[in-house]
């Protein structure tokens, strides 16, 4: 069995995607906590291009970028657990499209909410953009239980790791995601309630809020 190590920060939506995938596959691994401000030497040497979590080390070989890692896990551990990506080529391309959409949209609008002083004009802009993104995602979800269809899939994992941050977005921007996007909120609850790999891999929402508060104070945003 390969030696597997994950470099992660407990609040990272990107790193926690990898936690879900490894748990879904039943892969045993060691997790090393990284500080989002002070980069550790292993992180810097393993991901010299971006110096960001997550990094998955398999027998000492580094795989970087969360969506790349998800696909690597699907292929490297194909013989165990359910696949994240579907076998059908069109469905696989569609899953990749929506995962890429999440990465193209969520960090930008979320950053306008939590990376600026409270009450700054960017916060309202970020809130409106985020609601728009969520409504687009609700349209794609439709009446399906998951973006992947009947079971948790690649696009679901790409998005669900942002849900522990919802409380932070709501408190800083003064809105309710449940009121704005009830279908997405129901999907998020389903992901946690029906999938142990999700439930045990996500941080507590209040802990995320407290962590973000500390980061904001550190950078003089409070």
């Amino acid at each position: 069995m390969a030696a597997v190590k994950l470099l992660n920060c407990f609040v990272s939506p990107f790193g926690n995607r990898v936690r879900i995938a490894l748990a879904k596959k039943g892969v045993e691994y060691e997790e090393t906590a990284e500080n989002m401000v002070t980069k550790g030497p292993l992180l810097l040497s393993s991901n010299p291009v971006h110096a960001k979590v997550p990094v998955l080390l398999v027998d000492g070989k580094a795989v970087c970028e969360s969506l790349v890692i998800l696909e690597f896990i699907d292929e490297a551990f194909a013989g165990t657990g359910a696949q994240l990506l579907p076998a059908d080529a069109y469905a696989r391309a569609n899953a990749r499209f929506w995962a890429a959409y999440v990465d193209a949209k969520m960090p930008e609008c979320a950053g306008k909410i939590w990376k600026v002083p409270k009450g700054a004009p960017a916060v309202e802009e970020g809130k409106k953009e985020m609601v728009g993104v969520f409504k687009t995602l609700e349209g794609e979800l439709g009446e399906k239980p998951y973006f992947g269809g009947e079971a948790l899939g690649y696009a679901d994992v790409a998005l669900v790791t942002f849900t522990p941050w919802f409380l932070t977005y709501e408190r800083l921007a003064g809105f309710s995601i449940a009121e704005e996007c009830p279908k997405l909120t129901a999907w998020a609850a389903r992901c946690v309630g029906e999938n142990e790999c999700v439930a045990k891999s996500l941080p507590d929402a209040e802990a995320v809020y407290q962590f973000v508060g500390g980061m904001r104070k550190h950078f003089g945003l409070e």
Side-chain angles (χ1 to χ4, degrees):
M1 181 66 71
V4 181
K5 176 181 285 191
L6 172 62
L7 308 185
N8 188 26
C9 174
F10 85 100
V11 299
S12 171
F14 306 101
N16 290 332
R17 291 170 174 173
V18 183
R19 297 189 79 207
I20 292 173
L22 291 170
K24 187 174 176 64
K25 287 287 190 178
V27 177
E28 293 185 3
Y29 66 98
E30 175 189 344
E31 184 167 354
T32 298
E34 291 288 339
N35 188 309
M36 293 180 74
V37 178
T38 306
K39 316 284 186 172
L42 182 57
L43 175 62
L44 293 174
S45 63
S46 301
N47 188 1
V49 175
H50 297 298
K52 292 180 179 179
V53 297
V55 175
L56 188 70
L57 295 161
V58 181
D59 288 335
K61 296 178 181 178
V63 185
C64 305
E65 296 297 302
S66 63
L67 295 181
V68 174
I69 296 172
L70 293 190
E71 295 204 36
F72 171 83
I73 290 170
D74 236 16
E75 294 175 10
F77 302 99
T80 178
Q83 295 293 98
L84 287 171
L85 281 163
D88 178 76
Y90 176 79
R92 197 161 58 246
N94 194 55
R96 288 179 174 133
F97 174 87
W98 287 107
Y101 176 81
V102 170
D103 272 8
K105 299 294 184 179
M106 280 303 296
E108 182 178 358
C109 57
K112 291 178 181 179
I113 293 173
W114 78 270
K115 291 183 178 180
V116 301
K118 191 172 184 179
V123 175
E124 184 67 21
E125 181 183 345
K127 178 179 75 174
K128 289 179 179 178
E129 290 177 4
M130 183 173 287
V131 170
V133 169
F134 287 160
K135 289 190 179 297
T136 297
L137 288 164
E138 283 190 321
E140 167 59 19
L141 182 63
E143 299 306 316
K144 303 188 300 291
Y146 296 99
F147 288 96
E150 294 302 313
L152 185 84
Y154 184 76
D156 297 286
V157 175
L159 179 60
V160 76
T161 51
F162 284 93
T163 61
W165 284 71
F166 282 7
L167 179 67
T168 296
Y169 304 148
E170 291 173 329
R171 287 180 177 174
L172 292 177
F175 72 120
S176 168
I177 294 173
E179 290 179 8
E180 296 280 358
C181 305
K183 186 178 290 187
L184 192 74
T185 305
W187 161 85
R190 189 178 306 117
C191 287
V192 173
E194 296 181 357
N195 299 275
E196 184 183 0
C197 61
V198 175
K200 71 180 188 180
S201 299
L202 297 182
D204 175 71
E206 186 65 40
V208 173
Y209 178 71
Q210 295 299 326
F211 180 91
V212 172
M215 290 282 287
R216 287 170 59 81
K217 288 179 181 176
H218 176 82
F219 289 109
L221 299 175
E222 291 286 357

